[in-house]
Amino acid sequence: MIENIDSALVDWSRAQFALTALYHWLFVPLTLGITFIIAFMESLYVKTGDPEWKKITKFWMTLFGINFAIGVATGIILEFEFGTNWSNYSWFVGDIFGAPLAIEGIMAFFMESTFIAVMFFGWNKVSKKFHLLSTWLVAIGSNLSALWILVANGWMQNPVGMHFNPETARNEMLNFWEVLFSPIAINKFLHTITSSYVLASVFVIGVSAWYLLKGRELLLAKRSIIIAAIFGLLSSLFLIYTGDGSAYQVAQKQPMKLAAMEGLYNGTEGAGLIMIGMLTPGKEINDNKEEYVFKFEIPKLLSFLSYGDANAFVPGVKNIVEGGYEIIDKDGNTQIALSAIEKIEKGKLAISALSEFKKAKEAENIELQEESLITFRENFKYFGYGFLNDPNSIIPNVPITFYSFHLMVGLGFLFIFLFAVVLILIFREKLIEKKWLLRALVFTTPLAFIASLSGWVVAEVGRQPWTIQDLLPTVASVSQIDASAVQITFWLFTVVFTALIIAELKIMFKQIKIGPNEGGH
Amino acid sequence: MIKGNPLKRFFLFYYDGFKSMTVGKRLWTIIIIKLFIMFAILKIFFFQDFLDKKFSNDKEKADYVIEQLTNPKNINND
């Protein structure tokens, strides 16, 4: 029984998952983005026959290889954690993740592994065109691998296309396409890969700027900057579009996350979008403190972006807890939002009905089985609320969500500005003179990783307390294990992953210092 | 381009590739150490599957999880 669950166990399990996921994500986006940049460069080599493009391609391929090698398999740790620390969750998810993760595994193995070998070992051994095709397939394959992982994550944010089997306590997939093409999943995928393209572009520009500062590898640096800045700028524009799509989906499916992203405690019609702001420290849902110490907002923009209507009502944290405001359901009908207390009651009804069903099944009482199943089905959408006692426990950490969101967005716009400035200056052949800008570009590189990680913090912290939105909270997802065991592995991972990051940085910096060479990788 | 027996070509492709690696040799060392730590230490000693370890079949696992989920009496979720 989930009795007396140690809150330290939940906290350490969450901390461990967050740690490993964030470390893993330090490697992934660079792979997703730089493979396309390499493919563009190699395409230019094949098209022009200019050996300088080959040299440039091979140089970035080596850096990609370092990142790929150090990062590969770091995500497997997350799967270990699912089985050990999150067994209730893993069981409850059922076969939903089976298909996407199996496809991901096959794709990653066959497409990436096979063609990466051709990419690295195939120079002068396969035709130029086949080598180029392999490079493109590595880029496409790694991005498609990400699709399946993000589809799985999208399902947790918005569980669709499944049926919960009360006999096995597992979700069973009813409609694969609904899971795959869930608007949340698609937006998440597009937003994540485009942000990764921006990150890789910032990385390529940062390294190239360092060469310009040092007065070496000038042609490589200039050409790389042009490719990366164009790719980064175009990706950034698409990133705004996908970000808007993601925020729209969040408004529809996870309004609490949206309220936390904007630090909005009290909902309003014609809500403005906070551009810069500072939350009032220690603000609680029921106190009379102002929401912000200061804010600069664009009037009505949040309402417009969230609901396509500048005067639409955007519920705040308090409204979502208390309910009573109008919402439009999936059939387009106007409904009154339930309060958290009402949802908790319905959740407890669902849990109780599941228990009754189980007992009736054992007693072979068909009538009671059917009766309890009806109650269960009617209330299943609130199942997860039944594990909560305090209505305020549906509120995520607002400051972390708010600041992570604004940091991500702010950095995203900074990158757009930098891409545009760099492009203008490099075409005017003035970039190399602007030493301060080159230095700024070098130091911007880690900011791209911070922006990318912030995006995940928004996505995951903002949806607390849920592991599966509305259906399963973190507290009911954990395994009944000793918190100290999780603590030990938390520190073990900290050591192992930190060592990997140090190895990556050391090898990467050394290789950058060596620069391009004509030899092997 | 290497010509001849496809299997030999396949072997030589990888053999020559690995042989000519520079930074790649160090990376492979890191990959092997990393995989060893993950699968031979962490997975075996620290990350055994909780349900697999406790139960021998799906029915028992299902019963256990239902028992867990249907008795959320004293969860500390405040």
Side-chain angles (χ1 to χ4, degrees), chain A residues 157-158 160 183-184 248-256 330 469-470:
Chain A
Q157 314 269 350
N158 178 38
V160 290
I184 288 241
Y248 178 80
Q249 290 303 328
V250 166
Q252 314 305 314
K253 310 291 183 195
Q254 298 173 301
M256 181 61 92
K330 63 178 179 179
Q469 184 72 37
D470 296 347

Side-chain angles (χ1 to χ4, degrees), chain A residues 190-303:
Chain A
L190 294 174
H191 193 59
T192 306
I193 60 165
T194 41
S195 69
S196 301
Y197 302 160
V198 171
L199 177 144
S201 301
V202 172
F203 172 81
V204 169
I205 291 172
V207 174
S208 303
W210 184 80
Y211 282 134
L212 292 183
L213 273 172
K214 295 285 172 192
R216 52 178 284 212
E217 318 301 346
L218 297 185
L219 188 55
L220 175 145
K222 283 180 190 170
R223 285 184 175 183
S224 299
I225 285 175
I226 291 171
I227 297 280
I230 292 172
F231 185 53
L233 190 57
L234 293 176
S235 299
S236 293
L237 298 178
F238 193 58
L239 189 60
I240 294 173
Y241 174 73
T242 57
D244 174 52
S246 286
Y248 178 80
Q249 290 303 328
V250 166
Q252 314 305 314
K253 310 291 183 195
Q254 298 173 301
M256 181 61 92
K257 186 194 281 186
L258 183 77
M261 283 158 66
E262 284 295 298
L264 187 69
Y265 280 86
N266 297 299
T268 178
E269 290 176 354
L273 185 76
I274 307 291
M275 302 305 288
I276 300 173
M278 183 182 169
L279 296 175
T280 303
K283 165 79 184 156
E284 297 284 341
I285 180 172
N286 286 322
D287 64 25
N288 292 322
K289 289 179 186 170
E290 290 290 324
E291 291 166 325
Y292 311 95
V293 176
F294 74 88
K295 65 175 177 177
F296 169 65
E297 66 175 3
I298 300 179
K300 296 181 184 284
L301 191 57
L302 182 62
S303 287

Side-chain angles (χ1 to χ4, degrees), chain A residues 252-459:
Chain A
Q252 314 305 314
K253 310 291 183 195
Q254 298 173 301
M256 181 61 92
K257 186 194 281 186
L258 183 77
M261 283 158 66
E262 284 295 298
L264 187 69
Y265 280 86
N266 297 299
T268 178
E269 290 176 354
L273 185 76
I274 307 291
M275 302 305 288
I276 300 173
M278 183 182 169
L279 296 175
T280 303
K283 165 79 184 156
E284 297 284 341
I285 180 172
N286 286 322
D287 64 25
N288 292 322
K289 289 179 186 170
E290 290 290 324
E291 291 166 325
Y292 311 95
V293 176
F294 74 88
K295 65 175 177 177
F296 169 65
E297 66 175 3
I298 300 179
K300 296 181 184 284
L301 191 57
L302 182 62
S303 287
F304 180 72
L305 293 176
S306 303
Y307 300 101
D309 173 0
N311 293 314
F313 176 76
V314 179
V317 170
K318 196 166 189 286
N319 308 96
I320 296 165
V321 170
E322 293 176 354
Y325 59 93
E326 287 186 353
I327 50 169
I328 308 292
D329 69 12
K330 63 178 179 179
D331 301 319
N333 301 317
T334 302
Q335 305 269 352
I336 300 298
L338 296 180
S339 68
I341 290 175
E342 288 169 311
K343 289 177 184 174
I344 288 170
E345 282 167 4
K346 284 177 175 288
K348 290 191 188 300
L349 269 179
I351 292 170
S352 158
L354 179 62
S355 179
E356 289 301 316
F357 173 78
K358 178 79 179 157
K359 286 175 194 158
K361 188 87 186 164
E362 282 164 4
E364 297 180 352
N365 183 337
I366 306 288
E367 198 182 332
L368 187 59
Q369 278 180 55
E370 285 170 0
E371 205 178 290
S372 50
L373 210 48
I374 290 169
T375 309
F376 177 74
R377 295 273 177 237
E378 281 174 355
N379 296 287
F380 178 65
K381 66 187 279 198
Y382 303 107
F383 186 75
Y385 287 89
F387 297 95
L388 309 175
N389 296 322
D390 176 3
N392 290 348
S393 60
I394 66 166
I395 306 170
N397 186 312
V398 176
I400 290 180
T401 313
F402 175 85
Y403 290 117
S404 300
F405 175 65
H406 286 83
L407 182 64
M408 174 189 74
V409 173
L411 288 172
F413 280 101
L414 171 71
F415 301 147
I416 293 176
F417 173 74
L418 287 176
F419 291 142
V421 168
V422 161
L423 267 181
I424 291 167
L425 290 175
I426 203 150
F427 281 124
R428 289 185 179 173
E429 301 205 337
K430 286 186 175 172
L431 181 64
I432 202 160
E433 299 164 18
K434 311 280 184 195
K435 301 289 183 200
W436 63 270
L437 179 60
L438 293 174
R439 278 189 206 100
L441 291 171
V442 173
F443 289 108
T444 300
T445 310
L447 297 182
F449 289 85
I450 290 171
S452 188
L453 292 177
S454 299
W456 276 111
V457 171
V458 175

